[in-house]
Amino acid sequence: MSCRPSARTGCWSRSSSAIACTSSAPPGTRRTSWTRSRGFRSRPTRRRPRSCARGSRRSRSRRPSSSGNSPPPLKSLVAASGKRAWAVLPLIASGRAIGCCVISFTRERSFSDEQRTLLTALSGLVAQALERARLYDAEHTRAQELQRGLLPRALPTLPSVAAGARYLPAGQSDEVGGDWYDVIRLSSDRVALVVGDVMGHGVTEAVTMARLRTAVRTLADLDMPPDELFAHLGDLVRGLGDDSYATCLYAEYDPVTRICTYASAGHPLPIVVHPDGTVVRPGPAVDPPLGAAEPPFTTHELHLPDDSLLVFCTDGLVESATRDIDEGLDQLERSVSRALARSAPPSAACRDGELGTTLDRLCDVVVSELLPDREHIDDDAVLLVVHTRGMPDGDVASFGLPDDPRAAGEARRHVREQLALWGLPDLGMTTELVVSELVGNVIRHASGPLRMRLLRGTSLICEVYDSSPTTPRIRRAAFTDEGGRGLQLVAAVSRRWGTRFLPEGKCIWSEEPLPA
């Protein structure tokens, strides 16, 4: 029996009846009889139908007949198979023809009504099986496209980190998973690194993952610390229902201090690779998953020398039915060490493109060792490898300012001197305007001690620190108001600006693009 899809089924696709072709003459002769069942009633014929007669107009036509009164052309099939009898069964599913099934016999035979009924039922079963397989493949493809559409299309190019990532969907499930990762740019060239996993599989879990990823990006844009961010995420997960849980790891890397601050809610901790190849795994102190944990969340700090690596993953990469998560993390550690020993380790001296390629190769090697049979994994997996590089000391300038009206003038003087030292005199006017407004705002509405910091990276960043927890906001000034327009000027001349709260107060920052 052979099944083949066919789009040229016009001569029989309007009927689900079986078409039987039987040859009762020895090979080499032309004597052939056709039988076609219609409503399980047959009318034997003693000669070929005109539609199949040699030299007839219908058989010479390139298009199949749409009249439904003629069997499909079987001349090539008869000549190639060497069989003596055939049953050609149309495959019809959902009211449309999707192909045909041909059953051949080595001996000549005729078909009774019961046999024709059986063949018709067989064609229906085959058609439904093929249709279900097609629908399964289409649903699986849509599920994977949905999952990939919810993940970052490309990782951002940032001055302080370079990253490579791999996402592997579950090979044995047609349902989407809830694993995700993200790299988010923060203020002052800081970077947020996020890896999470919503428990379960299905569209509901994928939607939950999308909501959590959006919430993380929104809260991170507000410069919330990891523990406060997790408190808000926990409220969001608990609001989804009592059976909703998610694990997440959120880390912030500061290129000035070279400190990575992170918190984990039930998620595996990252593996740290130092520039000399030493692999370190932080302690196992993690909080329960989101939805089960209550604030406060514990935060931890790691000092990362330049050219360090952070390796993040989800449990689908290191845990399986034959391997617990501790064994998987040990294997991940050994795999990363072997991969770095076989090739040159990533270095900040490499160009961004070369560094990204090196990290992508490292991801491929690690994934191939941990998941050699990707088609048979029962959970989706994420691997995120991040290379860190600090900001040079020469690109950072800090100044203390007096807590009185003289602070604005001193701030402008420090700006002129530092920008001249950096070779950026063209930014002097706008930067002086920004620091004047920010420092003046602190003197009028906040309290000291007061200090200013300038950062030169891919942009010029100006920061003003004070000890007040109040948040500056832009307000609409009336025509008769003498003040209230300072932050409007800051927003107009800056690429972006904002406020970051600290344990000892707050930082108001602005960012200006460097001249080309």
Side-chain angles (χ1 to χ4, degrees):
M1 180 178 68
S2 63
C3 302
R4 62 183 181 89
S6 174
R8 303 179 63 182
T9 56
C11 60
W12 47 268
S13 61
R14 296 185 179 181
S15 171
S16 61
S17 59
I19 301 175
C21 173
T22 304
S23 175
S24 59
T29 64
R30 297 183 178 178
R31 185 170 177 268
T32 305
S33 64
W34 293 81
T35 303
R36 176 187 179 103
S37 66
R38 183 179 294 276
F40 306 118
R41 294 190 304 171
S42 62
R43 181 174 59 85
T45 59
R46 298 184 180 277
R47 62 184 180 86
R48 290 188 185 140
R50 291 185 59 187
S51 60
C52 294
R54 177 177 297 180
S56 66
R57 179 178 302 177
R58 190 180 304 276
S59 63
R60 289 196 302 268
S61 175
R62 293 188 177 183
R63 295 187 177 182
S65 171
S66 59
S67 62
N69 298 323
S70 305
L74 299 176
K75 182 178 180 180
S76 59
L77 177 64
V78 172
S81 65
K83 301 294 184 177
R84 306 298 298 276
W86 300 266
V88 181
L89 310 172
L91 302 180
I92 299 177
S94 301
R96 62 186 183 88
I98 62 173
C100 67
C101 175
V102 180
I103 305 176
S104 59
F105 303 88
T106 56
R107 297 181 180 179
E108 59 189 49
R109 62 180 301 167
S110 59
F111 301 93
S112 63
D113 291 341
E114 290 79 7
Q115 291 173 334
R116 290 171 181 163
T117 301
L118 176 62
L119 292 175
T120 302
L122 178 62
S123 68
L125 293 175
V126 172
Q128 293 299 324
L130 292 177
E131 183 70 4
R132 284 194 296 269
R134 185 189 67 81
L135 293 176
Y136 175 86
D137 291 340
E139 182 178 357
H140 186 64
T141 301
R142 286 194 297 268
Q144 291 188 357
E145 291 177 352
L146 172 63
Q147 177 72 45
R148 296 186 184 278
L150 297 175
L151 295 174
R153 295 186 178 182
L155 296 176
T157 301
L158 302 174
S160 56
V161 301
R166 289 295 181 271
Y167 168 77
L168 288 84
Q172 292 185 335
S173 175
D174 61 333
E175 295 182 337
V176 294
D179 292 18
W180 92 92
Y181 63 92
D182 214 342
V183 178
I184 307 171
R185 182 184 181 185
L186 304 178
S187 63
S188 304
D189 278 350
R190 297 175 306 117
V191 181
L193 310 169
V194 192
V195 179
D197 183 6
V198 178
M199 296 183 183
H201 293 83
V203 176
T204 302
E205 284 71 17
V207 172
T208 301
M209 179 268 284
R211 296 178 65 179
L212 289 178
R213 179 172 177 244
T214 302
V216 168
R217 295 190 68 91
T218 302
L219 297 174
D221 192 58
L222 297 176
D223 279 320
M224 286 190 177
D227 54 344
E228 186 176 349
L229 185 143
F230 273 179
H232 289 281
L233 282 185
D235 294 339
L236 175 60
V237 174
R238 282 190 295 271
L240 299 177
D242 296 337
D243 56 346
S244 296
Y245 301 97
T247 65
C248 185
L249 191 149
Y250 181 87
E252 288 183 0
Y253 174 69
D254 188 341
V256 178
T257 62
R258 294 168 175 80
I259 291 179
C260 178
T261 305
Y262 68 92
S264 174
H267 202 85
L269 296 180
I271 293 176
V272 182
V273 183
H274 290 285
D276 58 357
T278 305
V279 180
V280 179
R281 278 171 54 186
V286 297
D287 292 301
L290 299 173
E294 295 289 342
F297 292 86
T298 306
T299 58
H300 310 271
E301 290 186 354
L302 292 172
H303 179 73
L304 301 177
D306 290 348
D307 295 331
S308 296
L309 290 180
L310 290 172
V311 181
F312 303 86
C313 69
T314 58
D315 58 353
L317 183 69
V318 296
E319 188 178 22
S320 65
T322 59
R323 180 179 61 195
D324 62 31
I325 190 169
D326 292 329
E327 294 176 355
L329 290 174
D330 293 338
Q331 186 175 352
L332 173 61
E333 181 179 337
R334 293 191 298 268
S335 177
V336 172
S337 299
R338 287 194 299 266
L340 293 176
R342 288 194 297 263
S343 60
S347 173
C350 300
R351 298 179 180 177
D352 290 338
E354 297 175 355
L355 187 57
T357 303
T358 302
L359 295 176
D360 288 337
R361 287 199 299 264
L362 178 60
C363 290
D364 292 335
V365 172
V366 173
V367 168
S368 62
E369 290 190 9
L370 292 176
L371 300 175
D373 190 5
R374 304 182 186 181
E375 298 298 329
H376 295 86
I377 60 176
D378 55 2
D379 192 10
D380 46 347
V382 164
L383 175 65
L384 176 64
V385 180
V386 179
H387 173 270
T388 65
R389 48 194 173 192
M391 183 174 290
D393 295 338
D395 291 337
V396 181
S398 297
F399 309 95
L401 299 175
D403 189 14
D404 55 50
R406 296 176 302 165
E410 292 193 15
R412 290 192 295 269
R413 177 174 59 83
H414 290 314
V415 166
R416 287 193 299 269
E417 294 174 354
Q418 191 61 45
L419 293 185
L421 183 62
W422 283 343
L424 300 173
D426 294 340
L427 296 180
M429 181 177 296
T430 56
T431 308
E432 287 184 38
L433 174 62
V434 168
V435 298
S436 294
E437 296 298 337
L438 295 183
V439 172
N441 188 75
V442 171
I443 296 299
R444 175 173 293 187
H445 303 288
S447 60
L450 184 63
R451 64 187 178 95
M452 181 182 66
R453 188 172 72 169
L454 298 177
L455 306 177
R456 181 183 63 173
T458 56
S459 60
L460 179 64
I461 300 170
C462 177
E463 300 176 333
V464 175
Y465 294 81
D466 64 71
S467 58
S468 174
T470 58
T471 303
R473 291 182 175 88
I474 296 180
R475 68 181 181 89
R476 184 180 297 277
F479 292 107
T480 58
D481 291 343
E482 296 182 358
R485 299 177 179 84
L487 292 181
Q488 295 183 16
L489 293 176
V490 173
V493 300
S494 302
R495 174 188 293 171
R496 57 177 190 156
W497 73 282
T499 304
R500 181 170 71 251
F501 290 95
L502 306 170
E504 64 277 6
K506 71 174 182 296
C507 166
I508 309 175
W509 57 271
S510 70
E511 183 177 310
E512 301 175 58
L514 295 179

